[in-house]
Amino acid sequence: MSAAQQDLEHDKNLRGVSAIARVVLPMHTWQQLVDNMNAKGDVLAVARLAGMMAAEQTGTLAPGYGLSHHPHLHLDVKLAPSVPGQVLVNASAASHGSECVGMVAMTAAAVSALTVYDMCKASSKSCVIQELTLSESYK
């Protein structure tokens, strides 16, 4: 958990939630990410950007979740340090309002995972988005 997340969790007026996604890749594809040798570019950086951009569009992508302001979003896309072959996505969204921060976090995590999948599928058709779930919430 980052310092920014800890600061947000101690704010009693803040509602927040985290979503996680996991992308499982064959070892040769995962090694390309380790070496930053994917033919389509820096997969993790592009996945972070795509997730952030998608989070801003949550109200458009999921009708009924119109946002009066954008919640704070922390998005981490990284190679799993202890599990070779996996990319972990963790999206945490927080807001002082009654915004649907869960949908924002889920949208960011889902689009980040889809981006990893899309950028790696040329290397292997065996890439799998294994998990997309809400992992924790606080109020």
Side-chain angles (χ1 to χ4, degrees):
M1 179 179 308
S2 72
Q5 287 173 296
Q6 289 175 351
D7 291 342
L8 289 173
E9 288 183 3
H10 288 95
D11 185 336
K12 299 298 182 201
N13 298 318
L14 203 60
R15 181 168 181 271
V17 67
S18 292
I20 59 170
R22 185 179 319 274
V23 184
V24 180
L25 307 170
M27 286 308 295
H28 71 276
T29 304
W30 186 80
Q31 190 62 48
Q32 288 177 344
L33 297 185
V34 170
D35 298 335
N36 199 18
M37 296 297 291
N38 184 283
K40 294 188 176 183
D42 187 340
V43 174
L44 303 179
V46 173
R48 273 190 291 276
L49 179 61
M52 297 293 274
M53 292 172 68
E56 291 180 8
Q57 298 299 319
T58 300
T60 303
L61 296 170
Y65 293 98
L67 303 172
S68 59
H69 67 283
H70 295 291
H72 173 79
L73 179 68
H74 176 80
L75 182 59
D76 191 23
V77 182
K78 64 183 180 182
L79 299 171
S82 60
V83 186
Q86 293 190 11
V87 175
L88 302 177
V89 179
N90 188 331
S92 299
S95 174
H96 284 95
S98 59
E99 308 298 338
C100 189
V101 292
M103 282 299 291
V104 172
M106 290 286 280
T107 298
V111 171
S112 292
L114 286 167
T115 302
V116 171
Y117 174 88
D118 183 62
M119 291 183 75
C120 292
K121 73 178 187 241
S123 174
S124 174
K125 303 293 186 212
S126 299
C127 303
V128 176
I129 297 173
Q130 187 176 35
E131 179 179 18
L132 174 63
T133 186
L134 290 175
S135 62
E136 62 180 304
S137 65
Y138 55 92
K139 181 172 182 179

